[in-house]
Amino acid sequence: MKASAFTIATLLTVASQSTMAAELDVKITNLTKGLYFTPVLITAHDSEDKLFEVATEASSALQAMAEGGDISALVTQASASSSDIAENPAAGLLAPAASATAELTTTDGNEYLSVTAMLLPTNDGFVGLDSWKVPSEAGTYTVYLNGYDAGTEANNELVVEGSGAPGVLGIPAAPGADAGTAGTGITMGDTNTMVHIHPGSLGDDDLEGGNSDLNNTVHRWLNPVAKLTVTVK
């Protein structure tokens, strides 16, 4: 009986430790040559409250972020679910090779970390981390992040002013001022309407026409697109 009671007490202790609050320093680094990240959203949450999930349809909040860089609806969603939030640590765009750091205090039960930010210039691409389990042991951990496609807009690779609103086809901006114009479009349809790994941008070498407005020497990219360094204190 004593051994059984000890075992139960030990399990309860371990369970309580696994959901304890944590102090985190989270650093995100843009690994790409020519992509910019719109304001980054970092959340610590429970196992249910995800920012996104692969192989499912994007929520309207995710679509707003992935097509126009607007994280406000995702922040509202995360706040409503009592997630811990660090938003826009770069105070704007995160440029190629640049890093930004946020401090995040997690509350009991919020033991998963997620990250999102739109990739510019893309139609509906975003850098993402879905529900990474925060280690209980103090230390520094590194996670590499992929670029995802929200599946909500065709990747036509055309830069169209004002196209950041959900459902308006086009890339809203090319922050490096190195995109072309007058492209005819890579595609006008997307067969995969679920959140999926982004196929990358094709681009071309014709900045005054061609199929794409993207520059194939600047805007082509492969995964991973970011490095996350998490320090658990």
Side-chain angles (χ1 to χ4, degrees), residues 181-196:
T181 58
T184 58
I186 294 294
T187 180
M188 294 301 164
D190 195 342
T191 57
N192 189 346
T193 59
M194 304 294 182
V195 176
H196 57 279

Side-chain angles (χ1 to χ4, degrees), residues 53 55-59 62 150 152 193-195:
E53 187 173 0
T56 65
E57 288 189 356
S59 65
L62 184 71
T152 57
T193 59
M194 304 294 182
V195 176

Side-chain angles (χ1 to χ4, degrees), residues 1-9:
M1 180 65 70
K2 290 183 178 180
S4 178
F6 174 79
T7 300
I8 292 172

